[in-house]
């Protein structure tokens, strides 16, 4: 059994404005007589609550750095990692590799949809590729040469 909502109308001893503890006030009713100042329509069981967050807002500056552990750089283990940038490009991070490599992107059927040859000159090198023409889906990124072969997955 749910409680009923009762709306009462007072037309005697009306005393506007009714202040709600600094949160707001009722200044008149919707009655048409005397601009609503001599009638008071009121739910007699109002609960008024201030906002939960009353503190001042303070600007915060976030500094986002490379989230990789760097362990592959310390122990000299070759590593390839891939991710999509916020602009939708493919970023390939190459650690502890040197020489000439091919970078291929294969679709889920294994078909090559992109290929580029690169030269890696430093222990830590990043390559960025535009993959705008590729449809959304699962892709494999292969970084390889005659002796090494690294494969990662991306979802565009």
């Amino acid at each position: 059994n749910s409680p009923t909502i009762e709306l009462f109308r007072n037309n005697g001893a009306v005393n506007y404005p009714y202040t709600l503890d600094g949160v707001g006030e009722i200044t008149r009713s919707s009655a048409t007589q005397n601009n609503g100042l001599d009638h008071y329509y009121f739910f007699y069981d109002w609960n008024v609550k201030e906002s939960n967050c009353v503190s001042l807002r303070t600007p915060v500056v976030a500094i986002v750095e490379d989230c990789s552990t760097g362990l592959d750089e310390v122990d000299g283990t070759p590593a390839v990692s891939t991710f999509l940038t916020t602009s939708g490009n493919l970023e390939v991070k190459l650690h502890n590799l040197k020489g000439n490599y091919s970078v291929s992107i294969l679709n889920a059927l294994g078909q090559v949809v992109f290929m580029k040859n690169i030269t890696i000159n430093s222990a830590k090198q990043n390559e960025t590729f535009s993959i705008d023409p590729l449809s959304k889906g699962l892709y494999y990124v292969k970084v390889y040469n005659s002796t090494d072969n690294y494969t990662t997955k991306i979802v565009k």
Side-chain angles (χ1 to χ4, degrees):
N1 191 12
S2 63
T4 59
I5 298 174
E6 297 184 37
L7 179 65
F8 294 94
R9 173 181 162 178
N10 290 340
N11 58 358
V14 177
N15 189 15
Y16 286 105
Y18 291 98
T19 303
L20 305 172
D21 294 328
V23 176
E25 65 181 6
I26 301 170
T27 58
R28 65 185 193 101
S29 76
S30 60
T32 56
Q33 298 98 351
N34 195 21
N35 287 328
L37 297 175
D38 59 355
H39 289 80
Y40 181 48
Y41 296 96
F42 185 71
F43 288 101
Y44 278 89
D45 191 19
W46 282 21
N47 291 308
V48 178
K49 180 182 174 216
E50 289 187 48
S51 174
N52 287 334
C53 182
V54 294
S55 62
L56 295 175
R57 294 182 182 208
T58 304
V60 175
V61 176
I63 299 172
V64 179
E65 296 181 8
D66 185 358
C67 297
S68 65
T69 62
L71 295 177
D72 53 342
E73 296 172 48
V74 173
D75 69 7
T77 304
V80 173
S81 59
T82 56
F83 64 93
L84 294 179
T85 65
T86 55
S87 60
N89 291 326
L90 172 66
E91 178 97 11
V92 180
K93 290 186 165 201
L94 307 152
H95 295 281
N96 300 313
L97 301 172
K98 289 241 183 196
N100 296 321
Y101 283 81
S102 295
V103 177
S104 293
I105 300 175
L106 295 86
N107 63 17
L109 299 174
Q111 300 165 323
V112 176
V113 294
F114 174 88
M115 186 176 146
K116 182 166 184 175
N117 294 320
I118 61 170
T119 301
I120 304 171
N121 296 316
S122 63
K124 184 178 180 182
Q125 184 169 321
N126 294 347
E127 296 286 333
T128 303
F129 305 103
S130 173
I131 57 171
D132 284 337
L134 300 182
S135 303
K136 291 184 179 186
L138 172 69
Y139 293 93
Y140 297 93
V141 179
K142 287 182 66 174
V143 177
Y144 60 96
N145 64 12
S146 60
T147 58
D148 298 323
N149 188 359
Y150 303 92
T151 304
T152 64
K153 287 190 242 182
I154 60 165
V155 177
K156 179 178 181 202

